[in-house]
Amino acid sequence: MGTQPTSIAIISDFVFYYYPTRLLAGIQSVLKQRGITSTIYQGGELRSEGHLYRKANDIYQLIRREQHQGLILFSQTLSRKDTSDELLQFIEPFADLPMVSIGRSIPGVPSVSIDNTPGMQALMEHLIKERDHRNFAFVRGVVGNLDSDEREWIFKDALAKHQLPFHPGLILNGDYDPQHAYAEVTRFLSSGAQVDVIVSANDEMTEGITRALRERNLRIPEDVAVVGFDDSDDFRSAVPPLTTVRQPFFEQGRAAAEALLALIDHGSTPLEVRLDTQLIIRQSCGTSSRTALKPQHVAPSLDTQGWSHAPREQQQVFESLYQATLDPSKRAEFLLFWKNSITTSLQAHSDVNSWFDILQSVREKLRPTLSGDTRADFDDLHASALSMLYSALKGTLTSRRARESSRAYLISQMSAAPTFEELLKGVDEYLTHYGMQSFALVFYEPFGPTPANAARVVLARGMPSPPAVGMFNPRGMLPDVMRAELARRNLMVAPLYTYDVHYGYVVYERPNQVYFDDETPLRTVINALAHFNERTAVKQYAQKLEHHSDILEQEVKARTRQLEDEILEHQMLARRLDHQANHDPLTGLPNRTFFTERLAYAIRQAEVSGYFTSLLFVDLDDFKGINDTLGHDVGDKVLITVAQRLQGCVRQEDLVARVGGDEFTVILPLSGVGEATAVAQRILSAFAVPFEVGNRQFYLGASIGISVSQEAGLNAGTLQRHADMAMYRAKHRKTGYEVFEPDMNRRTLERLQLASDLRRAVERQELELHYQPQVRLRDGELIGVEALLRWRHPERGMISPAQFIPLAEETGLIVPLGAWVLQEACRQGVEWANQGHASFRIAVNVSALQFERDDFVSTVSASLASTGFASERLELELTESIVMRDVRETTIRMEHLRQLGVSIAVDDFGTGYSSLSYLQRLPLNVLKIDRSFVQNLRDAENALPVVKAIVGLANHLGLSTLAEGVETDSELQLLLDVGCDFAQGYHFARPLPPGEILAFLEQQARKMIERHH
């Protein structure tokens, strides 16, 4: 059909970075000599992450044999994750076109690739023959990477060829990462190794290698030479400039174009073309006739001034400025380097302000080390560099401000265009301002999830305009009147699409810029188009309703009312969602997110007014016991009541929030310590009133921590931590509330140290067990002992269990500690039995964390088995809250323990929420009456009836009773009177070490009982 096509198709993904840009430049330099143009189809990587980029690949459907003489495929970047079969499947629709692949080999398709071997061999020969280096080390890339493995093989082969020393320790693993390379070279040098040169598998790793060398005061290249591979832009201006191996990307593009033209002209071309890499010699490879590395003293440099961890730009400026200060002949070299650095930064649109920081930092570090004329020369050179930087900054700020202001204005106009014509006008102005002078905007008819079979050019600039209403088949890319553009210029074809809609595509001539950003203007146009279509859809729907109003007036009114209801519903939903996002669904109080924002605002408000903001952290005491025993429904109702009581204690401008399960906060804006403590007292008074849920009534305590923003600059996080510390102090001291004091930070650190010491207490054998006797009241006979943990700290002496047991429970250390106690108690029991004392049992306390572990029963069984302790002599004590937490699971676990022969006691009975029906189902042996009831036995109205009730309940259930904390004769007598079975306490004996307990009990227990009969 028609004339012979004169365009070459190029398939690529993104083209606005260095590698594809250089390839395109090489391709087009060859095609231009033949008067042939190119059309670049810009889609995405074939196996892209995400649906959006895969959708871009539909643009490749526009490629047609009749439009192009041949095709070049950027397979190196386009199909990095695809197999050869998948790549063959992709190119099948273009099989009738002459084709060349760049990078990857495809069966039956000529390819052009780069051969790393010549450049690497030339590098090694230069280092060995020309530079006379003898001691080498190699930093490899990723293990298994083909390029890295090939370069390593050439490195080893060169050393073998010249009979130079080699052993596996000279190969370091850099993982293509500067930080990894730094760590490996640091380790290597620390081992005492000496080398002349370090060869890196790429340029980037030389940054880490250089830093490691300079930290040991080793100069480059005077002490150690460093070379790389790739000839990356960033390392051409390094200090010193990097010797490396260049990969000929431009030449690769030229070779691909030449191979394709040969295939078109003659029907054949070599199946594989490999281009040699080239050695680039710069200053970092050193001078000749050098000996092995020997560290020596050098003049103050980057590392001795503490700059080894500075950014590379700062290191380069420091070194260059330092050398120019010492050697006036290098002044011009420094100013040229400085100017190039700033210019490069401007071209890359970097933040030039950062260069002011670099120059100032260098001055602060370097100037104090200078004196006399040297310092004067430095000041003069610094002033010149600063003046140059001010000029550059002024220019770039002016141009950038004008450019960004204009571009922002154009984007806003385009995005808000009220009509299609205004939208196209905005697109035209925006793309032109961005530098695109020749382009055609093609829209599918209609838009849809896949490219349509019809299209029209809606906007054209720098190209012939098609008829006003001219539909064409997009498979031809452009209408017939514009088709000649394919032969006139090099064109890009990029899709216009969103996740679910194909709008069309843009055909444009790429501006003559090295690193032109194609993606930004195209994505901006897509966004403006999507917004316009959304607005148009809404407007068309409204017009449709208006058009049918005469016929469907009632329906329109009904629909209008429905829409109004929907809008109202949506508004209400939005308000509900906003409320839910910022409020607790149970109590309706603000949540942590809302609280955090308001606290930050309150602190700022206080700073402006010169006053304070106070924060209260309210934590409910033993709320978990309510959930565990009475259920979460009851717990939820209690939380609602707590929220109501808290709100009743504060002002309208104060904020009460729920920030956790049983944690609340109160923000008191513009309030000091006095106001905060008054609120805390009101809260505690409110909690003194019993809570009622259904027919249940019970008391619930609270611990309150108070912190006040008395210090300037105190942030919300610090204020919360202070309140939290104060709350824990109040909970520990049971004082109701505490105000944060700076000393609490110290106490917190002490707790952390104590926890650390506790972790090592077992292995250091600092723990020991003391045993408190348990006696039968009717005859004073010893029936058992309770094992109690003690900690003898090497520095702090004996530490109270009240200090370290709660800490162990908070940190989870109670599990290993509990296991040790169980094992040690069983071992001691066997020892006593061997001494003839096997008649009494040993009671061991069990924490909630221990008991709830799946392996608890097996742990008990293992302790009994490993020690040989009789299971019927072991009694496990569980608190009432543990027993009632999950009755079903508790019952199962207790049954397993009973099967072992172990007896079970409920500790601190009477302080929890036990249910009689549950107690009847549990396999218990003993109820231990809490010491709080024993110490108040003379209170005939309260404690004594409770003790009588517990004893009666135990008798009814067939259980024994044991009273804790018996200290006086009167307490002992009352317990005998109510029929209590057993007792323990200081009245009989304090907890004693194992060596003392038997003799003491045999002498004392019976005598104390006899005095009361």
Side-chain angles (χ1 to χ4, degrees):
M1 58 171 285
T3 60
Q4 180 72 14
T6 59
S7 173
I8 298 298
I10 300 174
I11 297 181
S12 176
D13 52 349
F14 299 112
V15 296
F16 56 87
Y17 60 96
Y18 182 76
Y19 173 59
T21 299
R22 298 302 298 156
L23 289 179
L24 284 177
I27 293 170
Q28 291 174 350
S29 69
V30 171
L31 298 182
K32 184 177 180 180
Q33 295 174 353
R34 291 279 298 269
I36 300 174
T37 59
S38 64
T39 304
I40 300 99
Y41 294 84
Q42 181 180 333
E45 192 172 346
L46 299 186
R47 194 184 292 183
S48 302
E49 297 293 335
H51 171 71
L52 180 64
Y53 291 105
R54 288 196 298 272
K55 203 173 187 68
N57 296 337
D58 289 340
I59 198 68
Y60 302 140
Q61 298 177 13
L62 299 183
I63 301 174
R64 286 294 177 270
R65 174 71 175 88
E66 60 271 16
Q67 296 173 182
H68 303 293
Q69 296 185 61
L71 185 147
I72 297 177
L73 181 69
F74 284 14
S75 59
Q76 183 72 24
T77 57
L78 195 67
S79 59
R80 291 178 296 176
K81 303 175 184 177
D82 299 278
T83 65
S84 296
D85 289 342
E86 290 171 330
L87 198 51
L88 281 171
Q89 184 178 0
F90 169 73
I91 65 174
E92 185 177 352
F94 323 123
D96 56 343
L97 275 173
M99 185 183 311
V100 171
S101 169
I102 293 182
R104 284 191 56 174
S105 296
I106 305 174
V109 178
S111 65
V112 180
S113 58
I114 293 177
D115 186 356
N116 293 327
T117 302
M120 187 66 187
Q121 288 178 336
L123 174 64
M124 293 302 297
E125 290 297 306
H126 178 79
L127 293 173
I128 295 171
K129 290 184 176 181
E130 301 298 328
R131 299 300 184 182
D132 197 28
H133 292 303
R134 289 294 177 266
N135 297 302
F136 285 72
F138 182 80
V139 181
R140 63 159 64 112
V142 176
V143 176
N145 177 269
L146 295 179
D147 286 335
S148 176
D149 290 348
E150 183 179 13
R151 294 164 196 173
E152 179 181 339
W153 180 86
I154 297 170
F155 169 84
K156 294 177 182 177
D157 184 65
L159 296 187
K161 173 183 175 183
H162 292 279
Q163 299 182 347
L164 295 179
F166 174 78
H167 57 83
L170 297 175
I171 303 297
L172 311 180
N173 292 319
D175 204 29
Y176 279 143
D177 177 70
Q179 189 58 34
H180 278 96
Y182 163 78
E184 278 286 277
V185 174
T186 299
R187 177 192 60 76
F188 178 71
L189 296 175
S190 299
S191 69
Q194 295 186 341
V195 292
D196 295 332
V197 59
I198 298 178
V199 180
S200 174
N202 75 345
D203 290 345
E204 281 71 21
M205 290 191 294
T206 63
E207 180 181 343
I209 296 169
T210 300
R211 182 153 56 95
L213 292 171
R214 286 174 173 164
E215 284 186 358
R216 302 181 69 85
N217 290 337
L218 299 175
R219 301 165 300 173
I220 304 171
E222 291 86 352
D223 296 319
V224 180
V226 177
V227 297
F229 198 104
D230 282 344
D231 194 26
S232 302
D233 290 346
D234 291 344
F235 295 88
R236 295 172 185 170
S237 58
V239 179
L242 185 67
T243 293
T244 185
V245 176
R246 175 178 174 269
Q247 300 198 66
F249 298 139
F250 180 84
E251 291 79 0
Q252 187 180 17
R254 286 187 58 88
E258 290 168 351
L260 182 63
L261 293 179
L263 193 61
I264 294 170
D265 294 341
H266 309 296
S268 65
T269 192
L271 194 58
E272 182 177 15
V273 176
R274 288 178 65 83
L275 302 181
D276 291 347
T277 46
Q278 302 168 350
L279 172 63
I280 305 296
I281 301 174
R282 299 192 182 100
Q283 298 174 14
S284 73
C285 62
T287 58
S288 61
S289 301
R290 297 175 348 110
T291 59
L293 176 153
K294 293 181 180 178
Q296 55 182 295
H297 177 73
V298 296
S301 65
L302 178 65
D303 300 292
T304 58
Q305 296 297 326
W307 280 71
S308 60
H309 297 289
R312 186 165 58 83
E313 294 89 347
Q314 294 189 16
Q315 296 179 15
Q316 292 177 348
V317 172
F318 184 91
E319 288 285 5
S320 183
L321 180 56
Y322 180 64
Q323 294 298 329
T325 301
L326 299 181
D327 184 357
S329 65
K330 294 185 178 181
R331 176 170 179 163
E333 178 184 344
F334 164 72
L335 291 176
L336 179 60
F337 160 74
W338 181 246
K339 179 180 178 181
N340 291 338
S341 298
I342 299 172
T343 303
T344 302
S345 178
L346 290 176
Q347 292 174 347
H349 304 294
S350 299
D351 183 9
V352 183
N353 288 288
S354 63
W355 290 96
F356 281 106
D357 298 334
I358 293 174
L359 194 61
Q360 184 61 25
S361 298
V362 170
R363 185 178 188 275
E364 292 174 356
K365 288 286 185 181
L366 184 56
R367 193 173 187 275
T369 66
L370 307 175
S371 61
D373 293 340
T374 304
R375 178 179 286 191
D377 291 342
F378 170 80
D379 289 340
D380 183 49
L381 192 59
H382 177 269
S384 298
L386 193 61
S387 174
M388 189 181 298
L389 186 56
Y390 272 118
S391 298
L393 180 60
K394 181 178 179 181
T396 189
L397 288 179
T398 300
S399 61
R400 187 178 298 176
R401 189 178 296 113
R403 183 170 61 251
E404 291 178 353
S405 176
S406 299
R407 193 167 294 168
Y409 172 76
L410 292 174
I411 292 174
S412 65
Q413 291 293 101
M414 178 173 57
S415 300
T419 65
F420 185 70
E421 290 73 18
E422 291 292 323
L423 172 66
L424 294 182
K425 179 181 177 183
V427 171
D428 188 15
E429 293 177 349
Y430 171 72
L431 294 181
T432 302
H433 183 272
Y434 213 91
M436 296 169 62
Q437 301 299 320
S438 299
F439 58 86
L441 189 65
V442 180
F443 280 179
Y444 292 127
E445 292 286 347
F447 301 152
T450 58
N453 294 321
R456 62 189 177 97
V457 176
V458 297
L459 178 65
R461 171 172 288 276
M463 296 183 181
S465 298
V469 182
M471 303 294 290
F472 70 97
N473 189 331
R475 307 303 181 189
M477 190 188 309
L478 291 172
D480 291 342
V481 69
M482 303 178 70
R483 194 74 57 79
E485 295 300 310
L486 297 175
R488 290 186 57 243
R489 63 182 89 204
N490 297 316
L491 295 176
M492 301 282 296
V493 185
L496 300 174
Y497 63 97
T498 60
Y499 280 100
D500 53 356
V501 178
H502 272 290
Y503 295 111
Y505 50 90
V506 181
V507 181
Y508 64 97
E509 185 175 25
R510 199 164 188 263
N512 187 24
Q513 298 179 22
V514 176
Y515 298 114
F516 177 73
D517 178 6
D518 302 71
E519 187 176 25
T520 297
L522 297 178
R523 185 52 54 187
T524 301
V525 170
I526 290 171
N527 291 337
L529 182 59
H531 293 159
F532 178 81
N533 280 344
E534 291 173 1
R535 295 197 307 271
T536 300
V538 173
K539 185 183 298 184
Q540 289 175 346
Y541 182 69
Q543 290 173 347
K544 182 178 180 181
L545 290 178
E546 183 178 358
H547 177 71
H548 294 285
S549 61
D550 293 340
I551 302 173
L552 305 172
E553 182 176 356
Q554 295 303 317
E555 182 179 342
V556 170
K557 288 182 178 180
R559 178 58 178 160
T560 301
R561 285 194 299 270
Q562 182 181 357
L563 289 174
E564 290 174 349
D565 292 342
E566 289 177 359
I567 292 172
L568 180 61
E569 182 180 349
H570 288 164
Q571 292 173 342
M572 293 174 63
L573 177 60
R575 286 193 290 269
R576 285 199 302 272
L577 291 175
D578 180 69
H579 185 275
Q580 291 173 5
N582 291 284
H583 289 78
D584 173 41
L586 176 64
T587 63
L589 293 177
N591 60 14
R592 181 179 292 275
T593 300
F594 191 85
F595 155 74
T596 303
E597 294 175 356
R598 283 291 298 271
L599 180 59
Y601 172 77
I603 292 175
R604 292 194 299 270
Q605 184 184 30
E607 290 176 347
V608 172
S609 65
Y611 203 55
F612 310 130
T613 288
S614 296
L615 173 65
L616 277 65
F617 193 114
V618 183
D619 186 83
L620 306 184
D621 295 338
D622 196 28
F623 176 74
K624 192 174 188 303
I626 295 177
N627 269 341
D628 292 341
T629 56
L630 302 180
H632 288 278
D633 290 341
V634 172
D636 288 348
K637 292 176 182 178
V638 170
L639 289 174
I640 293 171
T641 304
V642 168
Q644 294 169 349
R645 292 189 185 183
L646 290 176
Q647 288 178 305
C649 297
V650 300
R651 305 167 299 181
Q652 184 175 359
E653 61 267 29
D654 300 331
L655 178 78
V656 178
R658 183 187 179 203
V659 296
D662 57 355
E663 298 173 344
F664 297 82
T665 55
V666 180
I667 301 175
L668 305 177
L670 304 179
S671 300
V673 174
E675 293 93 335
T677 55
V679 171
Q681 290 167 355
R682 287 200 297 270
I683 292 173
L684 293 176
S685 297
F687 273 69
V689 179
F691 288 79
E692 294 186 8
V693 178
N695 59 353
R696 298 178 183 272
Q697 186 180 86
F698 47 84
Y699 289 89
L700 180 65
S703 299
I704 304 173
I706 301 172
S707 61
V708 181
S709 63
Q710 296 179 347
E711 302 176 13
L714 195 67
N715 59 34
T718 303
L719 200 62
Q720 291 180 66
R721 287 194 300 273
H722 288 175
D724 192 42
M725 290 181 196
M727 183 276 293
Y728 275 106
R729 171 78 70 87
K731 187 176 289 290
H732 178 69
R733 292 184 171 182
K734 302 188 183 303
T735 55
Y737 72 86
E738 291 281 345
V739 179
F740 172 79
E741 299 172 355
D743 182 57
M744 291 182 184
N745 273 323
R746 178 184 60 78
R747 293 176 180 271
T748 299
L749 291 176
E750 288 178 354
R751 282 173 56 81
L752 291 175
Q753 182 61 49
L754 191 64
S756 178
D757 291 346
L758 186 57
R759 292 182 187 276
R760 296 188 291 270
V762 174
E763 58 190 64
R764 292 179 177 177
Q765 297 182 349
E766 297 171 6
L767 300 178
E768 57 189 64
L769 290 183
H770 287 193
Y771 299 87
Q772 187 169 38
Q774 298 173 337
V775 299
R776 186 160 48 217
L777 294 183
R778 61 183 172 83
D779 57 11
E781 182 180 351
L782 172 69
I783 56 92
V785 292
E786 180 179 2
L788 299 171
L789 184 60
R790 296 293 183 264
W791 181 12
R792 195 178 300 276
H793 194 280
E795 297 175 359
R796 302 172 60 175
M798 192 67 77
I799 298 179
S800 168
Q803 276 188 275
F804 72 84
I805 292 297
L807 185 62
E809 290 177 340
E810 290 176 20
T811 59
L813 287 173
I814 196 67
V815 174
L817 289 182
W820 180 87
V821 170
L822 183 61
Q823 181 78 12
E824 175 62 18
C826 291
R827 186 203 63 77
Q828 183 62 55
V830 172
E831 182 177 322
W832 281 332
N834 292 336
Q835 296 172 0
H837 301 285
S839 60
F840 58 87
R841 67 189 178 218
I842 298 179
V844 176
N845 290 283
V846 177
S847 72
L849 287 177
Q850 281 180 278
F851 186 72
E852 291 171 355
R853 288 176 62 91
D854 292 339
D855 63 351
F856 176 68
V857 176
S858 61
T859 299
V860 174
S861 177
S863 295
L864 292 171
S866 63
T867 61
F869 187 57
S871 60
E872 64 272 11
R873 293 184 56 206
L874 178 63
E875 181 174 276
L876 300 179
E877 294 189 4
L878 306 172
T879 63
E880 190 175 1
S881 60
I882 296 176
V883 172
M884 301 307 297
R885 185 166 297 175
D886 186 338
V887 176
R888 181 178 176 277
E889 282 297 322
T890 298
T891 303
I892 294 172
R893 200 153 293 171
M894 284 184 174
E895 288 290 355
H896 290 159
L897 292 171
R898 286 288 292 271
Q899 291 172 10
L900 294 177
V902 175
S903 60
I904 300 173
V906 177
D907 198 10
D908 302 333
F909 188 77
T911 60
Y913 306 94
S914 296
S915 166
L916 178 59
S917 62
Y918 288 153
L919 287 176
Q920 290 176 317
R921 292 158 47 189
L922 294 171
L924 302 174
N925 299 92
V926 180
L927 298 183
K928 295 190 69 173
I929 303 171
D930 187 68
R931 67 179 64 245
S932 62
F933 298 116
V934 174
Q935 292 169 354
N936 294 298
L937 274 175
R938 290 198 173 278
D939 185 352
E941 293 184 0
N942 293 310
L944 186 57
V946 172
V947 173
K948 288 181 178 180
I950 294 174
V951 172
L953 175 62
N955 291 335
H956 174 74
L957 297 175
L959 306 177
S960 300
T961 52
L962 187 151
E964 297 181 285
V966 179
E967 297 183 356
T968 66
D969 290 342
S970 59
E971 292 170 355
L972 179 59
Q973 186 59 52
L974 287 170
L975 289 169
L976 282 167
D977 293 341
V978 299
C980 182
D981 299 307
F982 313 114
Q984 68 182 83
Y986 283 9
H987 188 70
F988 305 102
R990 293 175 177 272
L992 299 172
E996 302 177 19
I997 188 167
L998 293 180
F1000 179 84
L1001 289 174
E1002 290 173 358
Q1003 296 173 9
Q1004 299 294 325
R1006 191 176 301 275
K1007 293 180 181 180
M1008 287 187 287
I1009 297 300
E1010 289 174 352
R1011 289 200 301 267
H1012 296 282
H1013 282 280

